[in-house]
Amino acid sequence: MLTLFHHPLFANCRFVRVSFGEYGEELALIEEKPWLRRREFLSLNPAATLPVLLAEGDTPIVGATVIAEYLDETRGVLKRDRRLFAEDPFVRAEIRRLVDWYLVKMEADVVRHLVRERVLKPVMGAEFGGGSPDSTALRAARANVRQHMKYTNWLAGTRNWLAGARLTYADMAGAASLSVLDYLGEINWSEYPAAKDWYTRMKSRPSFRPLLADRVRGLTPTSHYADLDF
Amino acid sequence: MLTLFHHPLFANCRFVRVSFGEYGEELALIEEKPWLRRREFLSLNPAATLPVLLAEGDTPIVGATVIAEYLDETRGVLKRDRRLFAEDPFVRAEIRRLVDWYLVKMEADVVRHLVRERVLKPVMGAEFGGGSPDSTALRAARANVRQHMKYTNWLAGTRNWLAGARLTYADMAGAASLSVLDYLGEINWSEYPAAKDWYTRMKSRPSFRPLLADRVRGLTPTSHYADLDF
């Protein structure tokens, strides 16, 4: 079993967990607090970011998209219909564009800020930047939720899955990001029916079960978070 | 010939240009001002970011790393010794980690801010956020230059090329990022002899020539910028 250094409410880490889950592969999870900059963790990843996978021979593979490419090259390529990637270079580019949309752009516009202000700052020591949430940062992030939900709703309404006809990494990335916002009750689902229908399909998948069981100390998820028929 | 929407001083765009240059493939360049959010450009890339490649059939390929993967899948794989990527999944992961280090992390810590404050704001209209540079943003970015130069110096001092024995995308990404800072005179090379030696080798490559000829209106590069023996 491979090991993943992660945080339960980081979208990039959730993406890796569901992607391994789709291939039926269990991961040993180690919860890392990257702001502590532990020396052992820095030796695995000098950027001090999550996730980091300890692959075969304990070789560190750093970052969600890098891990996804590694997973595809070493496992996915053998999965035929269940592969979360495509053969065609143009379809691959579209999948990668959407993975970056969620894990880089939506992360920078929205998710990172809500997680920092609402999840991390209450438990981080003051010496690491902890404290009460910054309402300006919260407001700015919340203003961006709408644009990303509208785009997801458009994708889900015009395609079978986010990147096209088949389930791919794009769906894993989108659902991982939305699951964090949903835990925090930041999505008004009634405005986005196509996105809601797609996300219901995603959260019903066995690979999603461990995510729906996650709980963060001092922060209960919205009542419908783990509800498959919300 | 394929077309690239780019900005001459964006590291992510320079990375794509030198990578195509290494394979002897010319690109038609269109300079895009992404802050104007032109409708035609948004239809190619709703994220309104650069670079965007118009590949075969005018299919847009969005983002530097996505373009690099596409380039490898459609050209690089046939280049044998000249391929900028590797066969081994672990080496591929290390190359990708370093490409992300420069094009995502160093970009967010340093390059983006210096380019915005020193290159873009003087020419952007006030309605798009233009104006005089923000000295706090400049100071914060400059404080981070050192850490990234030290890391590059360490990599260049312990490996033949940044990701190991061979020239790869990691070198293209590192050199593209450093070339922007060098244009702006933000690197004190005498502190980083191993990085300087590696960068001299990089800027001597034919693929680098077009970058060294770039000039941005109203901003002359440092005197040694295009000098191969600086």
Side-chain angles (χ1 to χ4, degrees), chain A residues 38-78:
Chain A
R38 281 197 308 128
R39 184 184 298 233
E40 295 79 2
F41 183 61
L42 285 179
S43 75
L44 297 175
N45 176 17
T49 50
L50 290 171
V52 174
L53 177 75
L54 282 190
E56 291 77 7
D58 286 346
T59 311
I61 312 275
V62 172
T65 56
V66 179
I67 295 170
E69 299 279 355
Y70 177 80
L71 178 64
D72 184 66
E73 290 166 5
T74 55
R75 276 89 162 162
V77 79
L78 308 166

Side-chain angles (χ1 to χ4, degrees), chain A residues 6-223:
Chain A
H6 86 129
H7 185 286
L9 277 196
F10 283 14
N12 276 267
C13 301
R14 292 187 149 217
F15 164 74
V16 171
R17 289 166 67 200
V18 289
S19 298
F20 273 85
E22 285 290 325
Y23 292 156
E25 195 160 333
E26 236 186 300
L27 291 170
L29 297 176
I30 296 180
E31 190 172 332
E32 181 69 32
K33 296 178 171 63
W35 60 89
L36 297 180
R37 301 181 66 84
R38 281 197 308 128
R39 184 184 298 233
E40 295 79 2
F41 183 61
L42 285 179
S43 75
L44 297 175
N45 176 17
T49 50
L50 290 171
V52 174
L53 177 75
L54 282 190
E56 291 77 7
D58 286 346
T59 311
I61 312 275
V62 172
T65 56
V66 179
I67 295 170
E69 299 279 355
Y70 177 80
L71 178 64
D72 184 66
E73 290 166 5
T74 55
R75 276 89 162 162
V77 79
L78 308 166
K79 299 290 179 186
R80 298 168 175 269
D81 286 358
R82 291 173 49 232
R83 187 178 181 185
L84 295 170
F85 223 164
E87 287 282 332
D88 179 75
F90 286 116
V91 183
R92 291 166 71 84
E94 174 66 356
I95 295 168
R96 289 186 177 115
R97 178 183 77 85
L98 289 171
V99 169
D100 279 357
W101 181 286
Y102 289 104
L103 299 189
V104 181
K105 180 175 167 54
M106 188 178 184
E107 177 72 14
D109 292 349
V110 177
V111 184
R112 177 186 304 158
H113 307 290
L114 294 175
V115 169
R116 188 187 56 236
E117 299 304 325
R118 295 194 51 198
V119 182
L120 303 183
K121 280 171 74 171
V123 299
M124 283 159 82
E127 69 273 37
F128 300 108
S132 46
D134 171 345
S135 59
T136 313
L138 281 175
R139 203 159 39 237
R142 282 174 176 149
N144 291 328
V145 170
R146 210 181 156 76
Q147 175 211 355
H148 285 280
M149 285 307 300
K150 279 171 76 173
Y151 190 55
T152 304
N153 198 57
W154 178 81
L155 289 171
T158 51
R159 299 168 171 189
N160 194 15
W161 297 97
L162 295 192
R166 292 179 50 247
L167 179 82
T168 69
Y169 276 144
D171 300 285
M172 302 298 135
S177 298
L178 266 53
S179 74
V180 174
L181 299 190
D182 193 43
Y183 186 106
L184 298 173
E186 298 281 355
I187 301 175
N188 183 358
W189 287 107
S190 65
E191 291 180 42
Y192 314 105
K196 183 180 176 181
D197 175 70
W198 161 80
Y199 185 65
T200 304
R201 283 187 282 151
M202 288 304 295
K203 81 194 262 199
S204 308
R205 301 185 69 80
S207 65
F208 241 73
R209 241 173 255 153
L211 272 59
L212 300 180
D214 277 343
R215 292 296 177 273
V216 171
R217 192 161 56 101
L219 196 65
T220 353
T222 41
S223 56

